Amino acid sequence: MNQLEKARQTIDQIDAEMASLYERRMDAVKEVLAYKKENGLPVFDETREQAVIDKNSVRIQNPEYQEFYKDFLKKLMNNSKDYQRTLLSQHVIAYAGVQGAFSQIAAARLFPNDQKLNFKNFEEVFKAVVDKRAEWGVIPFENTNSGLVGEVLDALLEYPVYIQEVYDLKVEQCLLGIPGATLKDVEWVYSKDQALMQSRNFLKQLSVQTISYPNTAMAAQYVASQNDKTKAAIGAKENAQLYGLEILASQIEAHTENTTRFLVIGLQPKTSGNRSSVLLTVQHTSGSLAKIIEVIARHHINMESIQSRPIKGRPFEYFFFVEMDGDAAQVQACIEDMKENCESIKSLGTYSLGGQ
């Protein structure tokens, strides 16, 4: 055995001991987290963390190693915090809006027994999942009448998340007003821009002014607070009971089969299901996109849809969202062949289409 082999054998033995000690340490971390959770304490305690680093650094006898050991301890502490946040996020579901929003309704149907956290907008839901304040996020992605939600597509490109499941929710839009109001009283209608778009034919007949709101439930909440007969909101019928409103008209969407597709997002890619999707940019040369489509066809994969979206900060340049039917292995082989003609490509995973 030469010098290199002897040194590596020593390292292997130490690594085995460290693995055992690491498990013991993380078991203790679980106990710490249980106490913190019971007593409402935060995961990060800056004073305690610095004390641990200072106390343990002086135990290093060789001064050459001290700064490196401090760095090791900091990484170990970050690893511990990450693990604690992962445990805390389990069975926590993030959605955008307040109670009564379609996202909240979808989240309740998908995860009836889990804790729900609401956020002001879609991007905050993405951040909650990335920061491990929630295990999953429920996000509206596409509607049969108004199309894709562009800001969600942007966030899928920006944040390191993956699609876990797709859930289709049949949406019935209602016009909601304060008690005693009639359709003739309404002059202003508040709702999410997609809901206003879905109900545009009905609103045109009413000859009203429309105001876009972050989501449908917040619009209903606002109308209830104003106690003004001239103001109404578009939203789910559940909002009438939640906020003390009356349904002035129901099924006001342009098409009665109005359905919104929701995504469940998480941090780990799924590899089982009947649908896969990717986000990609192509080389700015003639035929680049056509080559991508040819690759999909060559792998005998059905391309369910392809949609373009402007790239932020790059005027008149676009990225593409591609949905494909096929198993994970088949799609992964296809993605590998796509790379030759892509500037960038992000797989969003292989997942299942849910019901209504």
Side-chain angles (χ1 to χ4, degrees):
M1 185 180 292
N2 61 35
Q3 182 181 356
L4 177 62
E5 291 171 336
K6 287 180 180 179
R8 285 177 172 172
Q9 186 179 59
T10 301
I11 289 172
D12 288 343
Q13 291 171 349
I14 295 170
D15 286 345
E17 294 174 20
M18 288 177 65
S20 176
L21 291 171
Y22 178 79
E23 286 188 341
R24 287 176 56 194
R25 191 182 198 281
M26 295 305 267
D27 287 342
V29 166
K30 283 184 183 178
E31 295 181 17
V32 168
L33 179 63
Y35 181 87
K36 287 180 178 179
K37 191 173 181 180
E38 185 178 343
N39 291 275
L41 299 175
V43 167
F44 179 45
D45 183 340
E46 185 175 7
T47 303
R48 163 65 181 169
E49 187 164 307
Q50 191 58 51
V52 170
I53 292 170
D54 293 341
K55 176 179 66 178
N56 286 289
S57 297
V58 298
R59 292 172 174 164
I60 298 298
Q61 302 300 309
N62 188 336
E64 184 181 348
Y65 302 152
Q66 280 194 345
E67 288 304 313
F68 293 96
Y69 188 66
K70 283 183 181 180
D71 184 61
F72 170 77
L73 287 174
K74 289 176 183 177
K75 287 184 170 65
L76 184 62
M77 301 290 271
N78 287 336
N79 178 262
S80 170
K81 288 181 290 189
D82 189 52
Y83 178 59
Q84 291 179 63
R85 292 188 180 107
T86 298
L87 292 179
L88 286 175
S89 73
Q90 289 178 349
H91 306 295
V92 177
I93 314 302
Y95 69 91
V98 295
Q99 190 173 8
F102 286 111
S103 292
Q104 183 267 326
I105 294 169
R109 293 184 184 181
L110 283 162
F111 303 98
N113 300 316
D114 291 344
Q115 179 188 350
K116 314 296 188 301
L117 285 181
N118 68 303
F119 295 88
K120 291 182 180 178
N121 54 53
F122 301 143
E123 187 168 24
E124 287 191 8
V125 173
F126 278 83
K127 289 179 178 178
V129 173
V130 172
D131 296 341
K132 297 188 176 181
R133 286 173 286 156
E135 184 175 12
W136 313 117
V138 176
I139 295 285
F141 182 61
E142 185 176 10
N143 179 266
T144 51
N145 292 334
S146 54
L148 286 174
V149 182
E151 58 196 291
V152 172
L153 202 53
D154 293 338
L156 285 171
L157 182 66
E158 180 179 353
Y159 291 95
V161 300
Y162 301 89
I163 299 172
Q164 309 295 309
E165 185 179 350
V166 170
Y167 179 75
D168 292 342
L169 176 69
K170 192 172 184 302
V171 172
E172 179 186 344
Q173 300 288 13
C174 298
L175 186 70
L176 310 174
I178 67 169
T182 67
L183 288 178
K184 292 181 179 180
D185 296 320
V186 178
E187 298 176 8
W188 301 88
V189 175
Y190 302 78
S191 196
K192 177 70 178 165
D193 49 1
Q194 280 87 1
L196 295 171
M197 177 71 72
Q198 293 161 25
S199 311
R200 61 189 179 279
N201 293 340
F202 174 83
L203 295 173
K204 187 176 181 180
Q205 293 176 355
L206 278 187
S207 298
V208 294
Q209 298 293 318
T210 59
I211 304 293
S212 180
Y213 239 65
N215 61 69
T216 54
M218 289 179 69
Q221 197 176 48
Y222 169 75
V223 167
S225 71
Q226 295 300 293
N227 197 32
D228 184 344
K229 289 184 178 181
T230 67
K231 295 180 178 180
I234 294 174
K237 59 185 177 183
E238 288 86 349
N239 290 315
Q241 184 175 0
L242 277 171
Y243 300 112
L245 299 173
E246 291 184 352
I247 298 175
L248 307 183
S250 59
Q251 293 185 328
I252 64 173
E253 62 274 9
H255 303 284
T256 55
E257 291 305 312
N258 185 33
T259 301
T260 296
R261 174 158 289 178
F262 287 84
L263 305 180
V264 178
I265 57 171
L267 289 178
Q268 299 299 323
K270 279 200 71 177
T271 57
S272 62
N274 53 11
R275 177 65 57 86
S276 298
S277 57
V278 296
L279 296 170
L280 58 87
T281 57
V282 297
Q283 298 164 2
H284 201 56
T285 57
S286 177
S288 292
L289 184 58
K291 291 176 183 176
I292 296 296
I293 296 173
E294 287 174 5
V295 170
I296 295 172
R298 193 165 64 243
H299 282 265
H300 305 289
I301 292 173
N302 176 43
M303 185 174 69
E304 186 70 25
S305 72
I306 181 169
Q307 315 248 12
S308 64
R309 176 76 177 166
I311 301 173
K312 290 181 179 180
R314 293 167 60 178
F316 306 109
E317 294 187 41
Y318 300 85
F319 68 91
F320 298 90
F321 171 74
V322 182
E323 289 182 290
M324 298 171 283
D325 291 334
D327 61 48
Q330 185 183 20
V331 171
Q332 188 56 45
C334 179
I335 290 172
E336 289 301 316
D337 285 352
M338 283 184 188
K339 290 178 180 179
E340 182 181 344
N341 297 293
C342 291
E343 281 189 349
S344 65
I345 186 166
K346 175 188 177 182
S347 172
L348 294 173
T350 299
Y351 44 87
S352 299
L353 296 177
Q356 296 185 4

